């Protein structure tokens, strides 16, 4: 396995600014994401991939044709597999001018050179100790690193290179997709699964080596709009209705024991993540998250009760709630196609890591793809601390991700021969 090549790919991709942006009408939300997609297209062509293009919505899709001879028992039987990663990085932290640092990790905290107040703490990163004596990658502390998901992009590109250069690796038709706008919830907005043509797919967008994901949250977003009445404070008595005060009252009443910062594992949460406005109008955006889709109904009811109570305190304010669906837990659908899960488990085992199914407290492109009819679990890239300046990447784990992907395509061929 050419690890140097994989790392070079990652570093090359990480330096390109591909930050996506919230609340933008255009698609993709930022044109610069395609800078990376265009580079990937060029690299795929150079590798000899003929069927590769960027479609009108900015999806880079490519096909690596099967190398099975007609005499192979799996010929015509092995399912078409897809590998999916997203090119964008989180809008939360700048992705401009990323300076990746390759560090020989010797243990302890890691102050980052561009801003020494940004420290990757050993106490907050139990995964660091597995990397003592090994190389890891960080940013310089002024930006995120973008291992989410350029590590996944690098793994898939290296997989393509391996499949095209090593005829000993038997595989069926393989489809690759690089999507924009995953971080702003739009990764699959215009994705055409029919045109993609895969029967099963895998997102490469996870965490630590061995961690496999078949369950995500089910997610809705509530927008609470408070309309008040603005007037000069000097003559406001009995007339002014302060929407900002009403909005704060609503946020103050959201359950503190059911928040992202106080919950873990399979626990649900209600997360007021945006509050903005003033006297005349204020808006609160709230995330509902639960692994059980029916749990979202209870979260919504809870918010409605809070709003009813606050409305009674401020009878003249107008308060409206609008809830929209974000994505659904892919677990119940994936369980119906157990082979897509068993093959992934086997691939991790053959790559020499101990696999485990870990619920994702978030969503992936796979949540939507699975719902649309393309079963798509997720596996690790080696990246950690996503969406922050303390993001880091275990080079060893990224290498294991590539090894697992190479095993995975072969396991499907083996299974199809039976
Ligand atoms: Zn991601």
């Amino acid at each position: 396995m050419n690890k140097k090549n994989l790392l070079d790919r990652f570093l090359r991709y990480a330096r390109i600014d591909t930050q996506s942006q919230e609340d933008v009408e255009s698609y993709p939300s930022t044109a610069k994401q395609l800078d990376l997609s265009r580079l990937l297209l060029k690299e795929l062509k150079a590798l000899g991939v003929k069927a590769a293009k960027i479609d009108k919505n900015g999806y880079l899709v490519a096909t690596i044709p099967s190398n099975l001879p007609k005499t192979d028992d799996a010929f015509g039987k092995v399912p078409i597999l897809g590998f999916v990663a997203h090119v964008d990085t989180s809008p939360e932290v700048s992705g401009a001018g990323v300076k990746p640092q390759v560090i020989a990790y010797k243990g302890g905290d890691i102050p980052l050179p561009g801003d020494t107040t940004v420290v990757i703490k050993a106490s907050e990163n139990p995964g660091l100790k597995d990397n003592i004596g090994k190389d890891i990658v960080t940013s310089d502390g002024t930006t995120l690193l973008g291992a989410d998901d350029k590590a996944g992009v690098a793994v898939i590109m290296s997989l393509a290179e391996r499949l095209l250069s090593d005829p000993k690796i038997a595989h069926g038709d393989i489809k690759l997709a690089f999507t924009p706008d995953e971080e702003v919830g739009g990764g699959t907005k215009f994705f055409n699964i029919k045109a993609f043509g895969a029967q099963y797919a895998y997102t490469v967008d996870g965490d630590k080596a061995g961690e496999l994901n078949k369950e995500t949250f089910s997610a809705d977003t509530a927008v609470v709009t408070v309309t008040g009445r603005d007037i000069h404070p000097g003559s406001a008595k009995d007339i002014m209705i302060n929407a900002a005060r009403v909005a704060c009252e609503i946020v103050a009443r959201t359950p503190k024991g059911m928040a992202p910062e106080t919950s873990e594992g399979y626990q649900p949460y209600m997360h007021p993540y945006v509050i903005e406005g003033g006297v005349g109008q204020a808006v609160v955006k709230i995330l509902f998250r639960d692994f059980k889709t029916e749990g979202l109904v209870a979260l919504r009811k809870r918010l409605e009760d809070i709003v009813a109570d606050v409305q009674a305190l401020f009878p003249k304010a107008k308060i409206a709630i609008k809830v929209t669906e974000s994505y659904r837990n892919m677990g119940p659908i994936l369980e119906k196609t157990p082979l897509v899960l068993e093959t992934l488990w086997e691939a991790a085992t053959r790559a020499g890591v101990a696999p485990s199914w870990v619920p994702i407290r978030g969503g992936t492109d796979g949540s939507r793809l699975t719902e649309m009819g393309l079963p798509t679990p997720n596996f690790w890239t080696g990246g950690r601390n996503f969406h922050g300046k303390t993001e880091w990447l275990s080079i060893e784990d990224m290498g294991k991700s590539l090894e697992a992907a190479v095993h995975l395509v072969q396991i499907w061929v083996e299974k199809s021969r039976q």
Side-chain angles (χ1 to χ4, degrees), residues 86 148-149 182-183 205:
H86 62 92
D148 178 13
D149 186 24
E182 193 267 356
E183 298 291 3
D205 191 16

PDB file of all heavy atoms in Angstrom, residues 86 148-149 182-183 205, ligand 1:
ATOM      1  N   HIS A  86     -17.550  13.813   0.345  1.00  0.00           N
ATOM      2  CA  HIS A  86     -17.922  15.200   0.018  1.00  0.00           C
ATOM      3  C   HIS A  86     -16.683  16.084  -0.063  1.00  0.00           C
ATOM      4  O   HIS A  86     -15.739  15.907   0.700  1.00  0.00           O
ATOM      5  CB  HIS A  86     -18.964  15.766   0.995  1.00  0.00           C
ATOM      6  CG  HIS A  86     -18.548  15.870   2.428  1.00  0.00           C
ATOM      7  ND1 HIS A  86     -17.977  16.995   2.959  1.00  0.00           N
ATOM      8  CD2 HIS A  86     -18.644  14.997   3.460  1.00  0.00           C
ATOM      9  CE1 HIS A  86     -17.756  16.811   4.255  1.00  0.00           C
ATOM     10  NE2 HIS A  86     -18.134  15.607   4.589  1.00  0.00           N
ATOM     11  N   ASP A 148     -12.289  16.087   7.257  1.00  0.00           N
ATOM     12  CA  ASP A 148     -13.712  15.921   6.960  1.00  0.00           C
ATOM     13  C   ASP A 148     -14.036  16.767   5.749  1.00  0.00           C
ATOM     14  O   ASP A 148     -14.240  17.962   5.880  1.00  0.00           O
ATOM     15  CB  ASP A 148     -14.536  16.343   8.180  1.00  0.00           C
ATOM     16  CG  ASP A 148     -16.031  16.259   7.938  1.00  0.00           C
ATOM     17  OD1 ASP A 148     -16.443  15.656   6.944  1.00  0.00           O
ATOM     18  OD2 ASP A 148     -16.786  16.816   8.765  1.00  0.00           O
ATOM     19  N   ASP A 149     -14.055  16.283   4.531  1.00  0.00           N
ATOM     20  CA  ASP A 149     -13.946  14.871   4.249  1.00  0.00           C
ATOM     21  C   ASP A 149     -12.863  14.618   3.199  1.00  0.00           C
ATOM     22  O   ASP A 149     -12.965  13.729   2.382  1.00  0.00           O
ATOM     23  CB  ASP A 149     -15.320  14.372   3.769  1.00  0.00           C
ATOM     24  CG  ASP A 149     -15.373  12.875   3.567  1.00  0.00           C
ATOM     25  OD1 ASP A 149     -14.568  12.168   4.192  1.00  0.00           O
ATOM     26  OD2 ASP A 149     -16.178  12.411   2.757  1.00  0.00           O
ATOM     27  N   GLU A 182     -22.295  18.990   1.503  1.00  0.00           N
ATOM     28  CA  GLU A 182     -22.734  18.047   2.527  1.00  0.00           C
ATOM     29  C   GLU A 182     -22.876  18.739   3.879  1.00  0.00           C
ATOM     30  O   GLU A 182     -23.809  18.483   4.630  1.00  0.00           O
ATOM     31  CB  GLU A 182     -21.739  16.882   2.643  1.00  0.00           C
ATOM     32  CG  GLU A 182     -22.240  15.700   3.433  1.00  0.00           C
ATOM     33  CD  GLU A 182     -21.877  15.707   4.906  1.00  0.00           C
ATOM     34  OE1 GLU A 182     -21.144  16.618   5.365  1.00  0.00           O
ATOM     35  OE2 GLU A 182     -22.317  14.813   5.620  1.00  0.00           O
ATOM     36  N   GLU A 183     -21.941  19.648   4.161  1.00  0.00           N
ATOM     37  CA  GLU A 183     -21.897  20.287   5.487  1.00  0.00           C
ATOM     38  C   GLU A 183     -23.054  21.260   5.714  1.00  0.00           C
ATOM     39  O   GLU A 183     -23.289  21.689   6.831  1.00  0.00           O
ATOM     40  CB  GLU A 183     -20.565  21.029   5.678  1.00  0.00           C
ATOM     41  CG  GLU A 183     -19.336  20.131   5.637  1.00  0.00           C
ATOM     42  CD  GLU A 183     -19.231  19.205   6.830  1.00  0.00           C
ATOM     43  OE1 GLU A 183     -20.137  19.198   7.683  1.00  0.00           O
ATOM     44  OE2 GLU A 183     -18.223  18.478   6.908  1.00  0.00           O
ATOM     45  N   ASP A 205     -16.544   8.786   5.319  1.00  0.00           N
ATOM     46  CA  ASP A 205     -16.721  10.097   5.952  1.00  0.00           C
ATOM     47  C   ASP A 205     -16.799   9.933   7.472  1.00  0.00           C
ATOM     48  O   ASP A 205     -17.545  10.638   8.132  1.00  0.00           O
ATOM     49  CB  ASP A 205     -18.025  10.735   5.397  1.00  0.00           C
ATOM     50  CG  ASP A 205     -18.171  12.196   5.788  1.00  0.00           C
ATOM     51  OD1 ASP A 205     -17.179  12.803   6.217  1.00  0.00           O
ATOM     52  OD2 ASP A 205     -19.284  12.727   5.658  1.00  0.00           O
TER      53      ASP A 205
HETATM   54 ZN1  LIG B   1     -18.156  14.856   6.581  1.00  0.00          ZN
END
